[in-house]
Amino acid sequence: DAKTTQPTSMDCAEGRAANLPCNHSTISGNEYVYWYRQIHSQGPQYIIHGLKNNETNEMASLIITEDRKSSTLILPHATLRDTAVYYCIVRAQLNTNAGKSTFGDGTTLTVKP
Amino acid sequence: DSGVTQTPKHLITATGQRVTLRCSPRSGDLSVYWYQQSLDQGLQFLIQYYNGEERAKGNILERFSAQQFPDLHSELNLSSLELGDSALYFCASSVADRVESPLHFGNGTRLTVT
């Protein structure tokens, strides 16, 4: 299964765009890139997913490089409520019995006033 | 609100006891997943059901079992509880058992074993 690498933490000013990077250099051709976030101890919230094309929804945009080895989640106008841990995962990881955490450690995004 | 309902929200019990966690998936979702989140191990996949049948198994202990009922709700049974079982337990559901089908998570059950 493809693994992902994300920075441990990032800061963003309120109202500015937050760009969260993710590396998934071993991704397979049929594996999707998914982004979730978790606020405090709430359940992870689905944000967006994509295979190879860029995607946009009401929450965010997902930019996937042409070689699919990395992606960027963009929150266009970050608010304080966007402060959370953001997880980038490859879909095949969601129901595997790997010994490590299924969701990895994610990026802690802190939006500051 | 994801539409996934988990009960109870909090559960406090003693070592050696048995508990049952319940999950109602989003309307129309056929697949249910269970995850455990503890402080030192992050979010771990436990088990998945699709339309009543077990589909995938993760690092689920033999003391734990689950099932999905004909009405598609699911229960996770934890027995012979140990202090280390204290964690957040999340249920998620998806429309289909397909890689392009997003998972939607409930807000979890916080289990404390004393």
Side-chain angles (χ1 to χ4, degrees):
Chain A
D1 296 325
K3 298 294 186 274
T4 60
T5 304
Q6 301 177 252
T8 301
S9 63
M10 295 181 62
D11 291 341
C12 178
E14 188 177 19
R16 303 297 294 269
N19 296 278
L20 291 86
C22 179
N23 288 317
H24 32 79
S25 59
T26 61
I27 191 170
S28 300
N30 62 350
E31 291 179 326
Y32 282 70
V33 178
Y34 274 79
W35 283 84
Y36 286 82
R37 71 181 183 184
Q38 188 172 25
I39 300 173
H40 299 299
S41 293
Q42 297 177 21
Q45 179 188 21
Y46 165 73
I47 301 173
I48 199 167
H49 72 286
L51 182 62
K52 51 185 176 182
N53 297 323
N54 298 337
E55 302 288 344
T56 296
N57 63 20
E58 65 279 5
M59 289 184 66
S61 294
L62 173 60
I63 308 298
I64 302 174
T65 58
E66 191 170 346
D67 63 8
R68 302 212 320 127
K69 293 184 177 182
S70 65
S71 61
T72 301
L73 177 74
I74 301 173
L75 307 179
H77 305 286
T79 70
L80 299 179
R81 288 177 296 179
D82 291 322
T83 293
V85 178
Y86 287 77
Y87 298 100
C88 165
I89 55 178
V90 173
R91 180 64 175 90
Q93 291 176 283
L94 289 180
N95 61 351
T96 65
N97 60 353
K100 300 178 182 177
S101 170
T102 305
F103 271 51
D105 295 329
T107 296
T108 298
L109 174 69
T110 303
V111 181
K112 298 184 175 181
Chain B
D1 183 8
S2 68
V4 178
T5 304
Q6 290 187 248
T7 56
K9 291 184 180 179
H10 302 277
L11 200 49
I12 301 174
T13 189
T15 54
Q17 296 298 306
R18 172 189 172 95
V19 297
T20 297
L21 312 183
R22 182 187 170 101
C23 170
S24 295
R26 293 191 322 161
S27 176
D29 285 0
L30 298 178
S31 197
V32 170
Y33 305 73
W34 286 97
Y35 289 81
Q36 178 192 57
Q37 187 173 38
S38 54
L39 284 177
D40 59 347
Q41 292 199 355
L43 200 66
Q44 299 270 355
F45 167 71
L46 295 178
I47 197 165
Q48 177 203 355
Y49 283 83
Y50 177 74
N51 205 19
E53 295 188 359
E54 181 182 306
R55 188 58 62 101
K57 218 167 188 177
N59 293 319
I60 187 167
L61 300 173
E62 288 189 6
R63 301 183 286 109
F64 296 179
S65 64
Q67 55 183 328
Q68 186 179 26
F69 294 88
D71 67 352
L72 301 177
H73 91 273
S74 178
E75 293 181 355
L76 179 66
N77 299 296
L78 314 176
S79 61
S80 302
L81 285 168
E82 302 175 358
L83 295 177
D85 298 327
S86 296
L88 276 165
Y89 291 84
F90 291 107
C91 169
S93 71
S94 64
V95 170
D97 182 25
R98 295 171 64 88
V99 67
E100 62 268 33
S101 184
L103 271 62
H104 298 273
F105 286 79
N107 278 326
T109 294
R110 182 177 293 278
L111 174 66
T112 302
V113 182
T114 62

